[in-house]
Amino acid sequence: MFECRLFGNVEVRVDGRPVDIGPAKQRCVLATLLVEANRTVSADQLIDRVWADRAPLRVRSSLHSLLTRLRSALAAAPMSITSRSGAYVLDVDEHAVDLHRFRHLMKRSRAEADDGRALDLAEQAMALWRGEPFAGLDTPWLAELRAALERERATSRVDYHDLALRCGKHAELLTDLSTMADEDPLDERVAGQLMIALYRAGRQADAHAHYARTRKLLAESLGADPGPALQALHRGILSGSAALASDETAPAMFSLRADIPGFVGRDDELRDLTEAVNASPTVVIRALDGMAGIGKTALAVRAAHLLAARFPDGNVFVEFHGHTPGRTRVSTGEALDSLLRATGIDPKTIPPRLDDRARLWRNRVAGKKILLVLDDVVDHDQVRTLLPGTAGSLVLITSRNRLPALDGVRSVSLDVLPAEQALHLLRESAGTDQHDDEALAEIVMCCGRLPLALALAGAQLRDHPQWNARYLANLLTEEYDRIEHLSAGDRSIAAAFTMSYRHLPAAEQHLFRLLGLHPGPSIDVFATAALSGHTFQETRRQLETLRTRHLIEETKAGRYRLHRLVRAYARALGTAGDAPHHAVEQVLIYYRHTAHTANIHLPGQNSCTAPVVVTVPHVAPYIGNEHAARTWFTAELATLVTCIDQYRTGPHRSHVADLSARLNPFLELSGYLDQALTVHLAALSAAGPADPLGQATAHTDIGIVCQLRGEPAAAAEHFGQALKLFVELGDRDGEAKALGHLRELNG
């Protein structure tokens, strides 16, 4: 048998006998490597964690000696310390390390659907604690980690109590719960558990007395009343609730997630929901939908806590795991089984048929006032039969997908946070105000004001004290690296988006990847069809699927855009073979062709004739008059300018001069002279010596813009360059136009 212990004294045991791992400094090194088991730890990290600011002069030599002695001491144990490019890795079975085994068991316990098995796993985990972590060792890093682990233990201990209460072990918990309540009298969750245990032990008066004590302490210490869940629990005790006395069900009827301390914004949504609850005599049902990371669950939980006191018969949180990595989606039947158990139904009597379960559920909650949060739902079929049938209840549904088919449900689509609230959330997540405002604003922009991204960015600043906001802003500036840096622990933007992407059909996955290649800020159905090669109807259907899944946003009828982080994610996915090059080529041909068609209807074109587009796209809009032409150019202006700027180099540069020339008439007619100059300078750069006709065209267009801007000398210079190139090319039409511009300029 092989064990590595961090709870209590740091020890390694082989076949029940302790291994002599040496003095305190060696044990500090081993503890650090065990905490980071199977992960690289740099020499600098080891030095900082073992010596902090008291490192000796030849600290690296000292570290090397400690590691050498540790390797020798651990020779008989099934573990090894290896060096990799200035860093060290302790290779060991993590299940043999009590810290990692504890976390593994608790994770399994929380994921286990059967309470009995979950309780057994939790008991195994809690039994691993033999004392305070790293007993006898004292470094700043270990002290900070020790405090964090004690907090982790306390949370797990309370989770264990929940399970034990559900399994009827209230009598066994009374002593432990009383001790915990004395240690932290303001912890409402512990107070509630003790009240339940006392009530079930026939000590209703003691349960009431403990509530009164907790309420008094909260008022004196925080100036606050107990939360809605504890108040509802107290009402149940006072009324002698039979459901509360049931070991199986009472905790589940008040199973809201903890509120989020750093919650920011959503004032309008919370106010509208409160007003709806106040005004409606019927069941109030709201479906909160939006893209991954937009804060749907956070809003639902905050609203539930604010309104919980109005629903004394139950505040229930049901997770459907529609997009949880590593979790199987919860079916309607499973959800109904859980809800029926929560109402006190004997599990043996729950009917097998879905319709019978649904009828029994509606019967059990008829006439009651309950608050039901149905989290991470995939479609309306999952939850239709869970909705209460009588007035007086509130149902909050969260989903990444729009749920238009639910009768009586009002959808609330969440957008990103306003700039001021986004900045506030970033500051709250970072845990300090000591950051540069300008850099923080850049981080907010790079995160696209998406709550999850802002929280992760703040966590990066909090977890890296050596970083400042400017450093993180610089990391996030590059689109290709942005997704990688928005992560903390097991949470990341990439993981959130991946679950949405994986739920798409194959055709929509392919289109989503192609949309990441599109250079413009928005795109319409025609350009998307050119990008994908699909028909207009098929493209529109696929875009609608992406819209309902909140992977794209419809900004106006028939026009779409991707959130900047979603775009970065889609582009990072890439596509195989020659697909990216071909897709971009086809959409550029589409823009050239459609711009040429629109130009026909614009009056008084001043630019020279652009090269003819040989390839005709398979689908394009009908543009039959000047109004339609101006409308198309206005909608596509930002995209066309971006195309010209982005493709001035690389394999698609041959399109830039043509696009620039075709855009010129609209820019001149609309008075966009500064933008026109930028566009044509990009075209001149793209043409280069290998394309003298493109150069001549760009010089002519630049000369026209300079003339309109009142810069005759610059205009004459560019017209002269154009004339020279047209003469060398033998292009008599171009030569004549350049001479005409020069004569007009000279009066």
Side-chain angles (χ1 to χ4, degrees), residues 291-476:
M291 66 182 289
I294 203 73
K296 303 175 291 295
T297 300
L299 174 58
V301 170
R302 169 52 60 94
H305 278 276
L306 290 175
L307 298 167
R310 306 189 190 191
F311 303 94
D313 297 314
N315 314 143
V316 186
F317 190 95
V318 181
E319 295 180 89
F320 280 84
H321 297 297
H323 300 87
T324 304
R327 292 299 301 269
T328 303
R329 186 184 303 173
V330 173
S331 69
T332 305
E334 291 169 329
L336 282 168
D337 179 87
S338 175
L339 288 169
L340 287 170
R341 289 169 184 255
T343 65
I345 290 286
D346 183 344
K348 299 185 181 68
T349 66
I350 295 176
R353 294 182 66 250
L354 184 64
D355 289 346
D356 293 335
R357 289 185 182 185
R359 278 192 292 272
L360 182 57
W361 161 246
R362 288 193 294 271
N363 177 266
R364 296 289 290 182
V365 298
K368 298 184 183 299
K369 293 184 176 182
I370 64 168
L371 190 161
L372 194 59
V373 179
L374 308 176
D375 184 57
D376 198 12
V377 169
V378 172
D379 56 47
H380 59 273
D381 287 335
Q382 268 188 306
V383 297
R384 189 193 304 276
T385 55
L386 275 62
L387 305 181
T390 56
S393 292
L394 169 65
V395 181
L396 299 176
I397 305 168
T398 73
S399 178
R400 294 191 188 184
N401 306 328
R402 288 180 170 86
L403 305 175
L406 276 173
D407 295 333
V409 177
R410 178 180 168 188
S411 293
V412 179
S413 294
L414 301 186
D415 200 353
V416 295
L417 292 173
E420 185 175 345
Q421 293 180 5
L423 186 60
H424 183 194
L425 175 56
L426 178 59
R427 288 187 186 280
E428 287 285 319
S429 301
T432 176
D433 289 334
Q434 305 304 311
H435 287 292
D436 175 59
D437 288 345
E438 184 178 346
L440 288 174
E442 286 184 34
I443 294 172
V444 168
M445 180 187 68
C446 290
C447 291
R449 294 183 279 133
L450 185 69
L452 175 59
L454 294 165
L456 293 172
Q460 289 279 38
L461 291 174
R462 188 178 64 250
D463 295 342
H464 294 83
Q466 298 81 6
W467 291 14
N468 57 33
R470 170 53 53 201
Y471 179 78
L472 180 57
N474 291 340
L475 287 179
L476 297 177

Side-chain angles (χ1 to χ4, degrees), residues 1 21 122 124 151 154 166 213 266 300 312 319 396 398 465 503 612 667 685:
M1 183 178 176
I21 53 177
Q124 292 179 50
R151 291 193 296 271
R166 288 209 290 273
R213 175 194 173 208
R266 306 300 185 197
E319 295 180 89
L396 299 176
T398 73
H503 281 75
V612 176
L667 293 174
S685 172

Side-chain angles (χ1 to χ4, degrees), residues 48-316:
D48 180 65
R49 294 176 182 183
V50 174
W51 284 279
D53 57 356
R54 298 183 179 180
L57 289 177
R58 301 182 63 189
V59 66
R60 290 186 179 273
S61 177
S62 298
L63 175 62
H64 181 72
S65 297
L66 291 175
L67 286 165
T68 299
R69 289 197 291 269
L70 265 180
R71 288 190 179 103
S72 177
L74 299 172
M79 59 197 299
S80 62
I81 301 172
T82 57
S83 58
R84 300 177 186 174
S85 304
Y88 300 90
V89 179
L90 178 63
D91 295 306
V92 64
D93 179 4
E94 291 188 12
H95 290 279
V97 183
D98 56 3
L99 167 60
H100 300 299
R101 179 162 176 75
F102 164 74
R103 287 173 169 169
H104 174 71
L105 288 167
M106 286 307 304
K107 184 177 181 180
R108 285 178 57 197
S109 173
R110 290 170 178 134
E112 177 59 62
D114 181 88
D115 286 343
R117 289 195 294 268
L119 178 62
D120 180 60
L121 291 166
E123 285 176 339
Q124 292 179 50
M126 300 309 298
L128 293 169
W129 284 79
R130 299 172 297 109
E132 72 167 17
F134 325 116
L137 299 180
D138 185 20
T139 72
W141 182 77
L142 287 176
E144 184 177 342
L145 181 58
R146 181 184 295 120
L149 289 173
E150 290 289 4
R151 291 193 296 271
E152 187 176 341
R153 180 196 183 192
T155 299
S156 299
R157 196 174 167 193
V158 178
D159 289 345
Y160 161 72
H161 290 154
D162 272 343
L163 287 167
L165 285 170
R166 288 209 290 273
C167 293
K169 295 182 177 292
H170 51 272
E172 295 94 320
L173 294 178
L174 278 172
T175 300
D176 194 25
L177 283 171
S178 297
T179 301
M180 286 191 72
D182 289 339
E183 291 171 349
D184 190 356
L186 299 181
D187 189 323
E188 294 187 46
R189 191 176 170 197
V190 173
Q193 291 177 337
L194 178 55
M195 288 163 60
I196 291 172
L198 289 167
Y199 179 67
R200 291 180 183 167
R203 297 166 58 183
Q204 184 175 358
D206 290 338
H208 172 70
H210 187 70
Y211 175 80
R213 175 194 173 208
T214 304
R215 183 176 62 180
K216 180 181 178 183
L217 289 171
L218 286 168
E220 292 173 349
S221 302
L222 305 176
D225 290 327
L230 197 62
Q231 291 184 37
L233 177 61
H234 182 238
R235 287 193 295 272
I237 289 172
L238 290 177
S239 65
S241 168
L244 189 60
S246 166
D247 294 324
E248 278 290 326
T249 65
M253 283 307 290
F254 296 93
S255 61
L256 283 184
R257 278 189 179 181
D259 199 2
I260 299 171
F263 186 88
V264 172
R266 306 300 185 197
D267 297 335
D268 292 342
E269 290 86 351
L270 289 168
R271 183 175 56 256
D272 290 346
L273 184 57
T274 301
E275 291 174 354
V277 171
N278 290 338
S280 177
T282 61
V283 178
V284 176
I285 307 173
R286 293 290 184 270
L288 310 176
D289 59 62
M291 66 182 289
I294 203 73
K296 303 175 291 295
T297 300
L299 174 58
V301 170
R302 169 52 60 94
H305 278 276
L306 290 175
L307 298 167
R310 306 189 190 191
F311 303 94
D313 297 314
N315 314 143
V316 186

